[in-house]
Amino acid sequence: PLQTLSKEEAAEKTENVLVLDGGFVTPDSNAFGHTFRDYEHESERNAGVEEFYRTQHINQTYEFVLGKREEYGKLDRAVMSIWECCELLNEFVDESDPDLDEPQIEHLLQTAEAIRRDYPNDDWLHLTGLIHDLGKVLLHPKFGAEPQWAVVGDTFPMGCAFDKSIVHHGYFKDNPDYYNPKYNTKYGVYSKNCGLENVIISWGHDEYMHMVAKMNNTTLPPAALFIIRFHSFYALHRAGAYKHLMKDEDYEMLEWLKRFNKYDLYSKSKVRVDVEAVKPYYQSLINK
């Protein structure tokens, strides 16, 4: 049964769990007092989330994604520092997320700080926690003011059948690719074990940030790039779908992504982070 707490009770409960324990403990409920990633709970928030996924599933087509990759692959929108980018995100709340109504910088730092507590020596993972969602600047006028359905939400492969584990799968029936024999089979345009780096993923903040990091010659390790690109690919890392497209190296990366996801998902609580206190540490990682 769902635990329904007031926002105050949820905040107090989650804060106590995180502060009293040395390692990261999964809280029982999200910022609204409900279980995490509960898309069925009847609420105004979830009605909006469902409408978001209806629009996303109809409009994300193979051709659309190829067009966006070409358009944004020029990297001609802006020049800014990582920290400026974090601050730019403060203007937005993610409409696809049933767990979060905080400004984005709070979530970025909650994620990074939770990882830092449990993996104190893996500074690359702390930085990955901070920057994993920066592609959401696509929502900003400077970056094209893209609609939320083309920026946030769960991601999934294009050019092959939509797996039934994808949230609100039923709405794909209104997507033209659903009926296209070129795209609606198990492998579609791909071959067995082709490797996830060769798979076209629905367009959004994950894909964009991966592109920005890679094309700016980041020194983050391959696992960090894998996390950035696939952290919203829940059909893969939660449901175990699409493994027929993975090659051997992808499995090792997937283990890092599963570790990361615990922090990405469950750090969406009411625990506040003192931004100015932690900023020098993260700025040193950015510089590195």
Side-chain angles (χ1 to χ4, degrees):
L2 280 170
Q3 287 187 303
T4 305
L5 308 174
S6 71
K7 279 195 178 187
E8 291 73 25
E9 287 172 321
E12 186 180 336
K13 186 169 185 180
T14 309
E15 186 168 332
N16 287 344
V17 168
L18 287 178
V19 171
L20 294 177
D21 198 284
F24 183 81
V25 173
T26 302
D28 295 329
S29 56
N30 64 15
F32 301 100
H34 307 311
T35 51
F36 286 89
R37 281 184 67 83
D38 174 11
Y39 292 94
E40 304 306 318
H41 185 84
E42 286 188 26
S43 67
E44 191 179 335
R45 178 80 177 161
N46 270 11
V49 171
E50 181 168 350
E51 176 55 25
F52 163 86
Y53 276 110
R54 186 186 73 80
T55 312
Q56 186 211 44
H57 290 357
I58 292 168
N59 290 293
Q60 289 269 0
T61 65
Y62 188 75
E63 296 304 322
F64 167 79
V65 173
L66 291 185
K68 286 295 172 191
R69 285 166 63 99
E70 185 180 354
E71 178 186 348
Y72 281 96
K74 299 183 183 81
L75 300 191
D76 59 359
R77 298 293 166 137
V79 176
M80 63 176 59
S81 73
I82 291 291
W83 201 264
E84 284 172 329
C85 196
C86 291
E87 290 176 335
L88 199 63
L89 277 193
N90 255 352
E91 299 171 30
F92 302 104
V93 169
D94 184 338
E95 288 176 7
S96 73
D97 196 334
D99 298 322
L100 189 68
D101 67 346
E102 292 289 340
Q104 290 296 311
I105 198 165
E106 289 274 329
H107 166 56
L108 299 179
L109 285 168
Q110 284 172 357
T111 305
E113 284 292 281
I115 292 169
R116 188 178 167 192
R117 279 198 295 276
D118 284 5
Y119 294 89
N121 301 319
D122 294 300
D123 61 353
W124 66 271
L125 198 56
H126 312 164
L127 184 58
T128 304
L130 180 72
I131 70 171
H132 75 284
D133 272 346
L134 290 191
K136 289 180 182 178
V137 291
L138 288 171
L139 295 165
H140 197 276
K142 251 188 186 174
F143 292 84
E146 292 287 346
Q148 290 246 352
W149 61 263
V151 180
V152 297
D154 287 14
T155 58
F156 38 84
M158 308 302 303
C160 60
F162 300 116
D163 190 82
K164 285 192 164 51
S165 65
I166 301 168
V167 65
H168 292 304
H169 176 272
Y171 291 121
F172 283 120
K173 289 186 174 142
D174 292 324
N175 183 311
D177 287 4
Y178 188 86
Y179 303 97
N180 188 329
K182 190 174 165 188
Y183 303 139
N184 67 6
T185 61
K186 180 178 178 179
Y187 289 101
V189 299
Y190 309 110
S191 55
K192 188 177 180 181
N193 307 127
C194 61
L196 291 178
E197 78 269 23
N198 297 309
V199 174
I200 301 293
I201 301 290
S202 54
W203 178 253
H205 71 279
D206 316 55
E207 198 67 20
Y208 182 52
M209 187 58 205
H210 176 262
M211 194 182 271
V212 170
K214 208 170 173 186
M215 292 171 73
N216 278 286
N217 302 313
T218 179
T219 58
L220 285 166
L225 288 169
F226 190 94
I227 287 168
I228 290 167
R229 188 174 186 223
F230 298 119
H231 70 270
S232 303
F233 188 2
Y234 278 86
L236 172 74
H237 60 77
R238 289 295 286 270
Y242 296 105
K243 290 195 171 169
H244 53 283
L245 300 177
M246 293 173 68
K247 63 181 186 181
D248 290 345
E249 292 89 331
D250 291 331
Y251 284 92
E252 188 185 335
M253 301 294 163
L254 182 58
E255 287 311 304
W256 276 111
L257 176 55
K258 285 178 177 176
R259 277 174 225 151
F260 176 85
N261 177 250
K262 183 175 96 163
Y263 301 94
D264 184 22
L265 179 58
Y266 297 113
S267 62
K268 295 168 182 175
S269 65
K270 291 293 183 184
V271 177
R272 306 310 294 263
V273 176
D274 184 341
V275 177
E276 290 308 309
V278 299
K279 182 177 176 180
Y281 173 70
Y282 289 100
Q283 190 58 57
S284 75
L285 300 188
I286 291 162
N287 297 344
K288 180 178 173 178

